[in-house]
Amino acid sequence: MASTSTGDVLPSGGKIFSTVPDLFFLPEFVFGGLVWILVASTKIPDTNPLGWVMFVSVFCFIGTTLWFFFFLCGANQSSIWPGLDVAYHFVASVFYLSASVILAYITFRTANFASISDELLKIYRLDISAVVMSYLATLLYFLHTIFSGIRWKRS
């Protein structure tokens, strides 16, 4: 019996701007890039584990950029791509969740020192912004995973 799918498994080209899971690409760029910028603009002491947060934000930003261009160029038309789409976004959401928890912990830990000087208060506010953006990026990657999984099961 022939396959009911005619190679139209995943959208490509301009169609990626009209499908639900793929609409999350642009907000993922924005919030992931903001996490990267906000964490990079703070002062990081030697004992601070924000290196993982930077790795996650840079890795996911570059990975999502490559993924977006694969979809845009139409290189995603093989039958393996729906599963890879789910796997990539699941890994990205787990990475971002772990980075968000670490970032929230570091921000909470430095809250006591924020009242000492204006410089520390500025860094504390940047960290709070980074935590919010990180959790939003986590949510976007998680939603992308869910909707990509639904699309995968339908294909």
Side-chain angles (χ1 to χ4, degrees), residues 38-61:
L38 289 168
V39 171
S41 67
T42 63
K43 184 177 182 181
I44 301 175
D46 293 336
T47 60
N48 201 336
L50 289 180
W52 174 249
V53 178
M54 285 299 292
F55 169 77
V56 168
S57 61
V58 172
F59 171 80
C60 289
F61 190 83

Side-chain angles (χ1 to χ4, degrees), residues 31 34-35 38-39 41-42 50 53 99-100 102-112 114-115 120-136:
F31 291 115
L34 283 172
V35 171
L38 289 168
V39 171
S41 67
T42 63
L50 289 180
V53 178
S100 299
I102 290 171
L103 189 57
Y105 173 72
I106 295 302
T107 303
F108 177 74
R109 199 175 74 185
T110 60
N112 297 334
S115 61
L120 290 175
L121 182 61
K122 178 184 171 192
I123 292 170
Y124 178 66
R125 288 179 179 163
L126 288 172
D127 284 344
I128 289 174
S129 300
V131 168
V132 171
M133 297 305 154
S134 183
Y135 276 108
L136 284 173

Side-chain angles (χ1 to χ4, degrees), residues 10 19-24 82 85-86 89 139-154:
L10 293 175
T19 58
V20 173
D22 304 319
L23 283 174
F24 293 119
D85 190 36
V86 173
H89 285 94
L139 177 65
L140 288 168
Y141 277 107
F142 181 72
L143 289 173
H144 200 143
T145 303
I146 297 298
F147 287 117
S148 292
I150 292 169
R151 178 172 59 194
W152 180 35
K153 290 300 175 185
R154 276 193 272 149

